[in-house]
Amino acid sequence: DDPIGEIYSPGYDCSKILDSNPEAKDGLYYIDLGGFNAIQVYCDMTTDGGGYILMGKMDSSITWNVPSTANPVEPNGAQHWASNLGEAPVVDFRVQMATAEDFSNTVAHWSFRMKSERPLKQLMVDDQGCTKHKPGIGNIAYVKDIRTEKIVTTGFRCSIFGGFHHSTPGFGWHQMNSCLNKPCSNGFAHFEFAPGTHVQVDHHGAFSYSVSGNHSAVQHDATAFVGCSGTNQICCGCFGPIGGTSDYCGDDCTAKNGGTVVKKNIYSWFWVRTSLPKSVWNRCMEYNVKNENGDMVSHRLFDGNTTPEK
């Protein structure tokens, strides 16, 4: 019999492949997410318990022109988003940023645990912590700093992706969702009004988090971010020291509190986990977070629950 993860014996996802073979290495595998068609994806079987699917890669901080295709995203391959994972249920969304095309040069690395699963094609929202004028990744239970393996906040609500766009023309964040479900040859920010002819209609597009605030973006304070400011059309990556618990990034790609801003030679990888491997379910995580009164409150997560208990 073929081992799970081969083309004639695909796994449900990377986590289930890891469950069937705890010694599985990082690399390309076949999954079907419970459907009939097997697709090839790159699995990270190591980081944060493993089971992550690589669904996007950027070779710069510019998000506007990254296409989406059905080809598997690979760590050292061409930049693009996966266009065939739209139905994938997102449990964890992870961002890894480096100053070279090498994971060993990682300068910021965080994940969002979702309060409830939703398909990748609905990653961006304008509710659930985000708003119509500040849409992005919402419905976040907590943020984890992957480099320190610590949960750094349970109060973060929205990683603002861009600005307001009406849903009818499907620009901006609506188009980003669409590109995660079907090919977009020119990226989410371009509108094709005739075959072979397109115009850029959006200059936003960012991924970020804040330890101290409940939302973040290139035009707001953030602990780390990568992407573009639509107002001034500035793109960059920004980060702080390992283990830092402040906001190191200010408005429009400015550094604060000893942060570092990089406008060139910045690479980013985007990962999703669609279920938790058994090794993660068996973990118990304890951490302390300041409440609204400034008091430290102890929390714990166990048995794979997404909601922390005090």
Side-chain angles (χ1 to χ4, degrees), residues 6-177:
E6 299 294 334
I7 187 169
Y8 295 112
S9 181
Y12 171 80
D13 62 5
C14 296
S15 292
K16 294 300 184 285
I17 295 171
L18 186 59
D19 286 345
S20 69
N21 177 17
E23 303 301 319
K25 306 297 184 182
D26 301 346
L28 291 169
Y29 295 87
Y30 284 91
I31 65 171
D32 62 14
L33 294 171
F36 296 104
N37 298 318
I39 59 174
Q40 192 176 38
V41 298
Y42 185 92
C43 295
D44 179 346
M45 300 302 202
T46 309
T47 305
D48 192 33
Y52 280 96
I53 301 168
L54 183 58
M55 51 75 62
K57 182 202 174 192
M58 299 196 317
D59 289 343
S60 74
S61 58
I62 300 173
T63 53
W64 307 325
N65 56 1
V66 180
S68 67
T69 77
N71 297 324
V73 184
E74 298 186 62
N76 297 309
Q79 69 167 2
H80 70 283
W81 304 102
S83 65
N84 53 1
L85 291 169
E87 299 294 338
V90 180
V91 175
D92 291 314
F93 182 83
R94 194 178 112 215
V95 181
Q96 185 171 2
M97 187 166 57
T99 53
E101 197 174 14
D102 186 336
F103 292 156
S104 65
N105 288 284
T106 295
V107 293
H109 199 177
W110 69 91
S111 68
F112 299 136
R113 169 62 57 84
M114 300 300 162
K115 290 183 178 179
S116 58
E117 295 178 7
R118 66 176 181 272
L120 187 60
K121 66 182 181 181
Q122 296 174 11
L123 178 66
M124 305 296 170
V125 296
D126 61 357
D127 56 8
Q128 303 177 74
C130 300
T131 68
K132 292 186 180 299
H133 291 279
K134 295 180 179 180
I137 303 174
N139 193 40
I140 297 169
Y142 62 79
V143 182
K144 184 175 183 179
D145 184 333
I146 301 298
R147 294 190 296 171
T148 62
E149 298 186 345
K150 293 182 178 180
I151 294 172
V152 291
T153 178
T154 57
F156 186 70
R157 295 293 174 261
C158 182
S159 173
I160 300 171
F161 181 76
F164 172 79
H165 281 286
H166 196 278
S167 60
T168 301
F171 296 156
W173 65 277
H174 300 278
Q175 181 67 4
M176 182 63 194
N177 280 345

Side-chain angles (χ1 to χ4, degrees), residues 34 53 63 80 86 92 98 114 134 136 138 172 219-220 230 240 249-250 253 257 266 288 290 293 307:
I53 301 168
T63 53
H80 70 283
D92 291 314
M114 300 300 162
K134 295 180 179 180
Q219 292 169 288
H220 297 274
C249 314
C253 293
N257 298 324
I266 194 77
N288 295 316
K290 284 185 180 180
N293 297 322
T307 303

Side-chain angles (χ1 to χ4, degrees), residues 242-277:
I242 294 178
T245 56
S246 298
D247 283 339
Y248 301 100
C249 314
D251 293 352
D252 289 338
C253 293
T254 57
K256 59 186 298 184
N257 298 324
T260 300
V261 171
V262 179
K263 295 185 178 180
K264 294 182 179 180
N265 300 321
I266 194 77
Y267 297 82
S268 300
W269 297 267
F270 302 85
W271 311 81
V272 292
R273 191 154 54 184
T274 52
S275 68
L276 296 177

